[in-house]
Amino acid sequence: MKKNLNQKLIDLIEYYNLINANLLLSNIPLKRNDVKKTAIFSGTKSQKLAKLKKSIQLIKNCELKKNATNLVFGAGNINANIMIIGEGPGAQEDAEGIPFVGRAGKLLDKMLMAIKLERSKVYISNVVNYRPPLNRRPLENEIERYLPYLKSHIEIINPKILLLLGSTALNALIGNEVVISKARGKWMQKEIGAIKPWIIASFHPAFLMRQPEQKKLAWIDLKMIRDKSISLGL
Ligand code: URA
């Protein structure tokens, strides 16, 4: 079927954003091995988020998208100092188009309340924005595909603290050589696009529902976030 001109233009803009064409067309010397670069969207924070969401909606030939009901983009305060990244939407999230509204989300709310953080004070998203069928872990190629969007999402929100929930978020953003049991509860700093937030990993609430005895470690991680917020004057 022939695409109309508008759709062609939208596709072209999405492609330019993803390949960072603004860098290719600028006079700034290009560092070819610079993996920190993310797609750059212009406008206010809300406009940038809307453009990012649009570019995710335009993703083609994606099994996750084909099987999902809704795009689950992000939720919470776009000016939050703390951003939380989960793995991917579950059934409830897929039905509502909002991250962490199912059982794991209820536990996450309780965990956040334990350090006096309401949802309205944080911003939440996931490694992949469409529900993996049967709640399976997103595949490596799916994680790779959504990673540029996730990095742009983080860069636009510009959190001071980034909480990675579970091994999928940890491995996607920090690398496959780290394991959650060793990496959790340790502060890291890493450039994501133009920003360098404090990053901490902790257990995913769905894992904590299966292994409640690990909640004591999650509680240590939460207190580290509370203390870091205080020391950063947030
Ligand atoms: N688990 C996740 O990782 N993300 C959600 O949004 C819900 C459950």
Side-chain angles (χ1 to χ4, degrees):
M1 201 175 58
K2 270 194 178 170
K3 285 183 179 178
N4 67 32
L5 191 61
N6 271 351
Q7 188 57 49
K8 275 188 189 160
L9 267 175
I10 293 170
D11 287 355
L12 196 64
I13 292 166
E14 183 204 15
Y15 177 67
Y16 269 33
N17 273 328
L18 287 176
I19 64 168
N20 260 330
N22 51 335
L23 289 175
L24 298 178
L25 300 173
S26 88
N27 292 330
I28 304 165
L30 193 63
K31 283 197 253 150
R32 298 222 170 263
N33 60 351
D34 195 343
V35 290
K36 295 189 301 264
K37 293 281 175 287
T38 51
I40 293 167
F41 298 94
S42 58
T44 62
K45 213 175 209 187
S46 309
Q47 286 167 339
K48 287 179 188 174
L49 287 169
K51 287 178 191 173
L52 173 64
K53 186 172 179 181
K54 184 85 211 160
S55 61
I56 297 173
Q57 277 163 344
L58 290 169
I59 287 179
K60 305 235 160 38
N61 302 322
C62 170
E63 282 309 305
L64 297 182
K65 183 178 175 184
K66 276 185 204 155
N67 288 296
T69 308
N70 279 304
L71 164 67
V72 180
F73 183 65
N77 184 344
I78 65 167
N79 295 312
N81 288 314
I82 301 177
M83 181 167 179
I84 301 170
I85 310 294
E87 177 176 290
Q92 196 65 32
E93 290 77 17
D94 181 45
E96 294 187 35
I98 304 169
F100 281 102
V101 285
R103 279 190 341 118
K106 301 277 173 291
L107 177 55
L108 178 62
D109 286 344
K110 279 192 196 157
M111 291 162 66
L112 294 175
M113 281 312 292
I115 53 165
K116 302 204 163 36
L117 275 181
E118 289 140 36
R119 281 252 177 159
S120 56
K121 291 195 192 145
V122 299
Y123 186 85
I124 307 181
S125 189
N126 282 304
V127 172
V128 295
N129 302 100
Y130 292 101
R131 181 193 182 199
L134 303 170
N135 294 347
R136 64 159 168 76
R137 188 181 194 270
L139 306 174
E140 208 52 48
N141 69 308
E142 292 163 345
I143 294 171
E144 280 299 313
R145 184 154 195 200
Y146 282 82
L147 194 55
Y149 301 102
L150 174 63
K151 287 186 175 172
S152 292
H153 209 153
I154 296 169
E155 193 181 23
I156 296 169
I157 297 296
N158 191 13
K160 303 290 169 290
I161 294 174
L162 189 61
L163 168 59
L164 307 179
L165 290 177
S167 58
T168 304
L170 173 71
N171 295 147
L173 285 159
I174 304 299
N176 278 328
E177 63 288 352
V178 281
V179 289
I180 188 76
S181 54
K182 294 233 169 68
R184 59 141 286 278
K186 294 187 183 122
W187 285 112
M188 305 167 258
Q189 262 196 308
K190 188 179 155 127
E191 285 176 71
I192 299 175
I195 67 162
K196 198 172 178 184
W198 285 101
I199 305 176
I200 192 165
S202 191
F203 292 126
H204 193 286
F207 169 79
L208 293 173
M209 290 188 315
R210 296 192 301 271
Q211 309 259 338
E213 70 282 8
Q214 302 294 336
K215 283 185 184 169
K216 54 185 181 299
L217 293 177
W219 173 232
I220 293 174
D221 306 340
L222 287 168
K223 284 192 289 185
M224 287 179 70
I225 293 170
R226 183 191 60 191
D227 294 348
K228 180 64 94 186
S229 305
I230 295 170
S231 73
L232 294 175
L234 305 178

